[in-house]
Structure formats: C-alpha cells, structure tokens
C-alpha cells in the first residue's frame, strides 16, 4: 500500500480505475471546490483536472467502457459527461424532482441509461443516444423503476421496478399494506433479440 496522490490537506474521494487500466479518476477539492481529476495509474504524471469552475457538489461518476468519457451527476440535479481528452462537458439531462444518481453506459459507450422521475416521482428508465442526442423512454410512470444496467453483451437492459402488488391486511391498523414490491426485470434493446 502506498500514498498515490500524496496531497496533504486535500479531501479526495470516489476513486475509480478506468476500464482500460491506464488511468485512475477521483474527485478532489484541491482547487477549493470538488472537481474530477484523472491521473496515469502508475503516477508517472501529475493529475489532470477535468472539470473546472464547479458551481455545486459533484456526487459521483462512472467511466465509459472505452475509457474516453466520464459520466457524473451533481446537486443541481444534472447528469453530464466529460470527454477525458478534450475536457468538453455535455449535458444529458437536468431533472426537476430528483437527483439522477442511477445510470450506466452501454458496452459500446454510445448509449446512457439512467433513472428519471416525472411529476408523480415514480421513477422511469430513459435511454440517451450520444450521437443523435435523442431520448427514449424504456418504462412509463405507472410503476416506480430505477437502477438500470446494461447486460455485458448490450442486448438487454436490467432494472429494478416496484410492480408486484400482493397486499396483506393488517390486523391492528385495519388497512392494506404493500411490501416486497420490487423485483429485477429486463427489456430487450432490439426487435430481433429474443425476449
């Protein structure tokens, strides 16, 4: 074990190795505000500050599978990604009712799946295409859904959803209770993929 960053007096957190194994990204307040930094995994070069002029608190981030982008969310309820090479930041979504904290990259790094909440605050799953910048609703707002994850082959999208209604009747409160409603579901992402 050794001190990788050697930055006394700095708060660093949320460290994550890049999928290609060449870099390590983390969040640091070295500049006075929390920003995302990236550094070669062997520590041979100084850390590069990716985000700049932070206007709010960055919660967490996730590398794209091709190690070229980092997706992150913040307290202003924005979901954005940054190009590691150029530093260009792209806004994916600004939510109105909840922080978009559950998201995932497709294996080819061309799609983002994330949880969004409409006015009734029942989470829905959305897909965002990086090339066309178009959005697609995977689920509707009838059931609370979240935590989307792409399958390793990119053919399916897994998610958790509360749509199992098996009420029990309370003998003390004289009312119905709904518990254990959530299960794991999947959807196919192409018409020719077997359901």
């Amino acid at each position: 074990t050794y001190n990788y960053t050697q930055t006394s007096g700095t708060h660093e957190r949320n460290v994550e190795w890049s999928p290609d194994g060449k870099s390590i990204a983390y969040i640091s307040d070295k500049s006075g505000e929390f920003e995302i930094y990236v550094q070669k995994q062997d520590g041979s070069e100084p850390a590069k500050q990716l985000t700049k002029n932070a206007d709010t608190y960055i919660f967490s981030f996730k590398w794209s599978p091709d190690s070229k982008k980092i997706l992150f969310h913040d307290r202003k309820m924005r979901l954005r990604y940054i190009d590691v090479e150029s530093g260009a930041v792209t806004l994916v979504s600004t939510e109105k009712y909840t922080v978009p904290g559950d998201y995932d990259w497709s294996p080819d790094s061309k799609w983002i799946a994330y949880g969004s909440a409409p006015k009734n605050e029942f989470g829905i799953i959305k897909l965002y295409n990086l090339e066309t910048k178009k959005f697609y609703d995977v689920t509707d707002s009838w059931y609370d859904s979240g935590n989307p994850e792409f399958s390793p082959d990119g053919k399916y999208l897994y998610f958790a959803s509360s749509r199992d209604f098996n009420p029990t009747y309370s003998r003390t409160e004289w009312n119905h209770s709904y518990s254990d409603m959530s299960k794991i579901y999947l959807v196919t992402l192409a018409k020719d993929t077997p359901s």
Side-chain angles (χ1 to χ4, degrees), residues 92-167:
V92 175
S93 174
T94 302
E95 297 296 308
K96 287 184 179 180
Y97 304 103
T98 186
V99 174
D102 48 343
Y103 42 80
D104 193 34
W105 288 96
S106 64
D108 61 5
S109 302
K110 293 180 179 179
W111 294 83
I112 294 168
Y114 69 98
S116 175
K119 194 172 183 179
N120 69 358
E121 295 186 25
F122 274 21
I124 63 173
I125 307 297
K126 289 191 171 193
L127 288 174
Y128 173 78
N129 184 287
L130 273 68
E131 294 175 354
T132 65
K133 301 191 182 327
K134 288 186 178 179
F135 296 89
Y136 302 89
D137 290 349
V138 178
T139 62
D140 57 36
S141 59
W142 280 100
Y143 307 101
D144 190 25
S145 303
N147 303 103
E149 293 281 337
F150 285 93
S151 62
D153 59 9
K155 293 183 177 181
Y156 300 92
L157 187 71
Y158 312 126
F159 62 96
S161 187
S162 299
R163 54 182 69 205
D164 197 11
F165 290 85
N166 292 306

Side-chain angles (χ1 to χ4, degrees), residues 38-74:
V38 67
Q39 191 169 357
K40 282 195 172 181
Q41 63 88 20
D42 60 5
S44 60
E45 294 181 4
K48 174 185 175 184
Q49 182 180 338
L50 291 183
T51 58
K52 293 177 174 57
N53 306 314
D55 57 357
T56 191
Y57 184 86
I58 296 173
F59 285 112
S60 189
F61 63 85
K62 188 166 192 173
W63 281 96
S64 61
D66 62 8
S67 301
K68 294 180 179 179
K69 297 175 181 64
I70 294 177
L71 185 63
F72 64 101
H73 71 294
D74 62 35

Side-chain angles (χ1 to χ4, degrees), residues 50 68-70 72 80-91:
L50 291 183
K68 294 180 179 179
K69 297 175 181 64
I70 294 177
F72 64 101
R80 300 180 288 171
Y81 67 85
I82 187 165
D83 186 283
V84 175
E85 186 66 33
S86 69
V89 177
T90 301
L91 176 68

